[in-house]
Amino acid sequence: MKYVKLYWKYVLLLIILSIFSVFFPVTNKDWAWSLKDNTDLISYFILSKGNILISSITVLLTHFNITKAISYSIITFCIFILMRNIVNKKNNTLFYIAIFLFMILNTDIFFLSYVSISGFCYHFIPLVFLLIIMWYLINDNLYKLNRKLIFILGLVSSSLSPYLSITLLLVLCILIIKNIYKKEKDIYLMILFEGVIIGSMLLLTSFLK
């Protein structure tokens, strides 16, 4: 009963988000993705210029409603929780404020970036990775992660979106310059930076091929 009282609101939110996502209308891009057969998809991945990883996730979500419902609910939930934890771990009011601000977004922005599966994958999935990295950096907990995991986190995060890649590069450059100024060494920060650099290069090559 103790855990039910603590987590019922989170479970309820996950269920509501899952139900909402199933009934979201299909946009033009999503409709095009859903109509492609396997041959069309393979041809697209070979010939297209863009983020193959995000495109693959978009295809998966447009073809399977259960995957869409689970992805929408978990990713949105993670964003709310991470935002609350970054600002103040103990204040649940911030959790509800984040939900409220999210629900009163401009209709066009909400539709293009959230209701649209391609917009959701392009904006919200990278946002989760950004918030995870920011949480570790703000709380100085990066050293608690395995070095290989830190590298993979930086690699995957920066290869998802050019906006996320640029943001991470700027933040990490500022932190590295600060460490140089203070004559401090942070091997974990450098490993993350290496992952972000390589991920950014992979993302760039996917657009320039």
Side-chain angles (χ1 to χ4, degrees), residues 101-102 104-116 119-120 123-124:
L101 292 175
F102 176 73
I104 62 171
L105 276 173
N106 177 275
T107 306
D108 293 335
I109 295 175
F110 184 78
F111 186 84
L112 291 173
S113 64
Y114 190 76
V115 175
S116 166
F120 175 81
H123 296 288
F124 280 79

Side-chain angles (χ1 to χ4, degrees), residues 150-173:
I150 294 173
F151 179 81
I152 293 173
L153 181 62
L155 178 68
V156 174
S157 300
S158 57
S159 62
L160 290 174
S161 163
Y163 306 110
L164 178 57
S165 177
I166 293 171
T167 301
L168 288 175
L169 286 172
L170 289 174
V171 170
L172 293 176
C173 283

Side-chain angles (χ1 to χ4, degrees), residues 15-207:
I15 294 173
I16 292 173
L17 289 170
S18 298
I19 295 173
F20 278 177
S21 66
V22 173
F23 292 100
F24 283 157
V26 179
T27 64
N28 292 336
K29 284 187 178 181
D30 299 340
W31 185 258
W33 276 119
S34 64
L35 291 178
K36 290 180 181 293
D37 57 26
N38 293 335
T39 304
D40 292 333
L41 291 174
I42 293 172
S43 300
Y44 174 82
F45 287 132
I46 293 174
L47 300 174
S48 68
K49 293 183 179 181
N51 193 319
I52 301 300
L53 181 57
I54 291 296
S55 297
S56 301
I57 298 173
T58 302
V59 170
L60 185 64
L61 268 58
T62 53
H63 281 74
F64 302 100
N65 274 335
I66 183 66
T67 308
K68 175 184 175 182
I70 293 172
S71 300
Y72 264 76
S73 59
I74 292 178
I75 290 172
T76 309
F77 177 78
C78 287
I79 290 173
F80 290 146
I81 292 296
L82 286 165
M83 288 172 63
R84 186 200 65 176
N85 288 351
I86 287 174
V87 178
N88 188 329
K89 296 180 181 180
K90 298 180 181 180
N91 191 349
N92 278 326
T93 303
L94 294 173
F95 179 77
Y96 300 113
I97 291 175
I99 296 174
F100 174 73
L101 292 175
F102 176 73
M103 296 306 295
I104 62 171
L105 276 173
N106 177 275
T107 306
D108 293 335
I109 295 175
F110 184 78
F111 186 84
L112 291 173
S113 64
Y114 190 76
V115 175
S116 166
I117 296 177
S118 54
F120 175 81
C121 293
Y122 193 76
H123 296 288
F124 280 79
I125 293 177
L127 179 58
V128 171
F129 282 88
L130 175 62
L131 291 174
I132 290 172
I133 292 175
M134 294 305 294
W135 183 84
Y136 275 106
L137 292 175
I138 290 172
N139 292 280
D140 198 23
N141 287 330
L142 200 60
Y143 69 91
K144 293 182 179 180
L145 293 177
N146 180 277
R147 294 187 179 187
K148 292 181 180 179
L149 184 58
I150 294 173
F151 179 81
I152 293 173
L153 181 62
L155 178 68
V156 174
S157 300
S158 57
S159 62
L160 290 174
S161 163
Y163 306 110
L164 178 57
S165 177
I166 293 171
T167 301
L168 288 175
L169 286 172
L170 289 174
V171 170
L172 293 176
C173 283
I174 292 172
L175 292 176
I176 291 171
I177 291 172
K178 184 201 75 171
N179 286 344
I180 293 174
Y181 178 77
K182 292 185 175 181
K183 298 181 180 180
E184 296 176 350
K185 292 183 180 180
D186 190 337
I187 185 64
Y188 300 97
L189 188 65
M190 294 306 300
I191 292 173
L192 179 63
F193 185 66
E194 290 173 4
V196 170
I197 288 289
I198 295 175
S200 300
M201 292 174 64
L202 291 173
L203 180 64
L204 182 62
T205 55
S206 71
F207 282 100

